[in-house]
Amino acid sequence: SARSTLENALRRHNFTVFPNAFSNYSDTIDSVPSIINSRLLRFPRELIQKTGTGNLRHYQVSRNRMFAGYARRGYQVVGYQHGSLRECDSSFSGADCRQYEDRLGWLYRAPGGWWERFRWLVGTYQAGDPLLGRVKGFFPARFGLKITGPLALTGLWPDRLASDIIAAKKRSLIFAHLLTPHSPYLFRSDGSIRPIEEWSGDRADERLDAAHYSERYRRYCEQVEFTARQLNSLLVTLDASGMLRGMTVVIHGDHGSRIRRSLGLPGDGQVMPGVFDYVKEPSLRDLQDRFSTLLAIKQPDAAAPAVNSERHGVLTFLAHVLANREPADGVAAADRVYLVNRAGQFQSIEILKYWR
């Protein structure tokens, strides 16, 4: 149902979809900087800086080739971002940066008991404030830092973003990094919110047994379906305004679902998705969970939908389709995926050996 809802929305608006696309990295802090700078990274976190203190995971991209290139060509550059990961900065060619944050008031929409709600509120405060993030007394560390990315989009996505695009000047680059269908998987397919107890434990740094894997994947698919409905609403609004036909629209994810099954190894319950933890040949399913990603492109005046079934990384497809050139690092390197090994260096995987 999630797949068909998404495919129908893209087909209706004449997108070309790339069902065999994959990201080069499974961590946002590497994948997003790589994409916006149109090249692979030489080492982890090469193009991003951690800005939070203590356990806070707030980051700022240090270079944005995409923004600089469009600004040089006379485009107005607008960037939408969550406070935890900022790709936009006014120093990037005078970009207009618009930030969305977690809003605790929106939690009233989530059913749940007072204890789960209190834990989530405290975790959100800790995640958003440098001082509270270091407090261990009144706010116990066991509460954990909480970021409710999909819920944080409530005031932006899709209606306000559609209105802003319609109101934008001609020759604008509008970049929006939307934390959806990112964890936690709290939305049902109809947009209602699940009880907090069902999703408060969602994390990316763990491998799951078969039962928990299936349960979380089911909730992920429902959130994908809701996101697809929101995407269709955005596209319908832009189409009705007369703007969509002349626009170039690129929609892509920066990594896979990152919902991963246990490998049966000691201690593999808590492993970050960007870490190389294979001791034998990886399974196709595990690679898909880490790297398989949506890529859909609508060119100006596209007259019909299309499917491109070639197997490439997102960097390769973007270079071929949008710039009519080879990727900066060459196709061979851009069509590999990269995980961080014990030495803290990228270890590549020839994913095309497995990808189908």
Side-chain angles (χ1 to χ4, degrees):
S1 179
R3 180 188 297 272
S4 63
T5 301
L6 182 58
E7 288 177 346
N8 288 339
L10 297 171
R11 187 181 302 116
R12 188 177 300 122
H13 298 287
N14 295 333
F15 277 81
T16 296
V17 296
F18 302 80
N20 292 315
F22 51 86
S23 61
N24 295 105
Y25 308 95
S26 58
D27 269 338
T28 299
I29 57 176
D30 290 321
S31 183
V32 170
S34 168
I35 291 293
I36 60 181
N37 285 283
S38 302
R39 68 171 178 85
L40 297 171
L41 306 181
R42 293 172 293 179
F43 51 86
R45 303 188 187 183
E46 178 192 356
L47 297 174
I48 201 165
Q49 298 174 343
K50 186 176 180 181
T51 59
T53 60
N55 290 322
L56 285 178
R57 296 188 65 204
H58 289 187
Y59 296 93
Q60 170 72 59
V61 171
S62 57
R63 190 179 311 157
N64 192 322
R65 183 175 179 269
M66 178 191 294
F67 284 16
Y70 277 91
R72 282 196 301 269
R73 293 160 57 188
Y75 282 75
Q76 177 193 24
V77 177
V78 180
Y80 293 87
Q81 59 194 1
H82 187 268
S84 63
L85 197 155
R86 298 188 294 277
E87 305 89 350
C88 187
D89 187 85
S90 58
S91 65
F92 295 163
S93 308
D96 178 2
C97 304
R98 304 176 186 180
Q99 195 156 298
Y100 61 93
E101 304 279 1
D102 287 64
R103 294 286 186 266
L104 298 181
W106 290 333
L107 279 176
Y108 79 90
R109 297 172 53 196
W114 74 269
W115 177 241
E116 286 295 333
R117 191 180 301 274
F118 178 68
R119 289 181 61 180
W120 196 270
L121 290 173
V122 171
T124 303
Y125 272 121
Q126 288 184 301
D129 186 275
L131 177 61
L132 293 179
R134 291 183 290 177
V135 172
K136 306 298 184 188
F138 183 70
F139 295 128
R142 67 177 178 273
F143 281 6
L145 303 178
K146 309 292 187 184
I147 296 177
T148 319
L151 199 59
L153 283 167
T154 299
L156 170 65
W157 168 254
D159 295 339
R160 199 187 99 205
L161 182 59
S163 297
D164 288 357
I165 293 172
I166 293 170
K169 300 176 182 177
K170 290 185 178 181
R171 291 182 65 81
S172 293
L173 169 71
I174 299 175
F175 175 92
H177 182 201
L178 308 174
L179 291 184
T180 188
H182 199 282
S183 64
Y185 308 117
L186 52 90
F187 284 112
R188 297 186 181 94
S189 59
D190 63 1
S192 61
I193 299 179
R194 299 177 181 280
I196 296 176
E197 290 88 345
E198 292 187 26
W199 49 265
S200 60
D202 291 354
R203 291 167 25 205
D205 62 340
E206 60 183 344
R207 287 186 173 276
L208 305 168
D209 61 36
H212 286 94
Y213 175 89
S214 297
E215 186 275 335
R216 191 169 299 179
Y217 224 100
R218 176 183 57 81
R219 288 190 288 111
Y220 166 72
C221 288
E222 285 208 41
Q223 190 153 292
V224 169
E225 185 171 357
F226 176 54
T227 302
R229 297 182 192 280
Q230 293 177 304
L231 173 62
N232 184 63
S233 175
L234 174 88
L235 296 173
V236 166
T237 301
L238 295 178
D239 195 23
S241 75
M243 292 190 65
L244 183 61
R245 183 176 180 83
M247 294 174 63
T248 299
V249 183
V250 180
I251 304 168
H252 71 83
D254 58 336
H255 49 63
S257 70
R258 305 196 302 187
I259 303 171
R260 297 164 294 143
R261 287 188 61 167
S262 171
L263 298 177
L265 303 173
D268 81 346
Q270 293 189 2
V271 179
M272 292 298 293
V275 171
F276 188 99
D277 60 347
Y278 299 124
V279 295
K280 58 182 181 180
E281 290 286 312
S283 69
L284 171 62
R285 184 70 203 187
D286 202 74
L287 292 172
Q288 289 174 327
D289 288 340
R290 280 176 147 161
F291 300 105
S292 181
T293 189
L294 169 68
L295 176 62
I297 300 175
K298 190 206 76 67
Q299 299 276 30
D301 299 317
V307 176
N308 183 326
S309 297
E310 295 179 22
R311 301 178 303 156
H312 291 296
V314 170
L315 276 179
T316 298
F317 277 126
L318 294 181
H320 286 176
V321 177
L322 299 181
N324 194 29
R325 61 169 176 80
E326 296 302 300
D329 304 277
V331 172
D335 281 353
R336 290 173 174 254
V337 296
Y338 300 86
L339 295 170
V340 181
N341 62 24
R342 292 184 178 181
Q345 300 172 336
F346 281 130
Q347 183 162 335
S348 69
I349 298 174
E350 291 185 58
I351 196 169
L352 293 181
K353 288 169 49 180
Y354 312 91
W355 210 242
R356 59 183 183 276

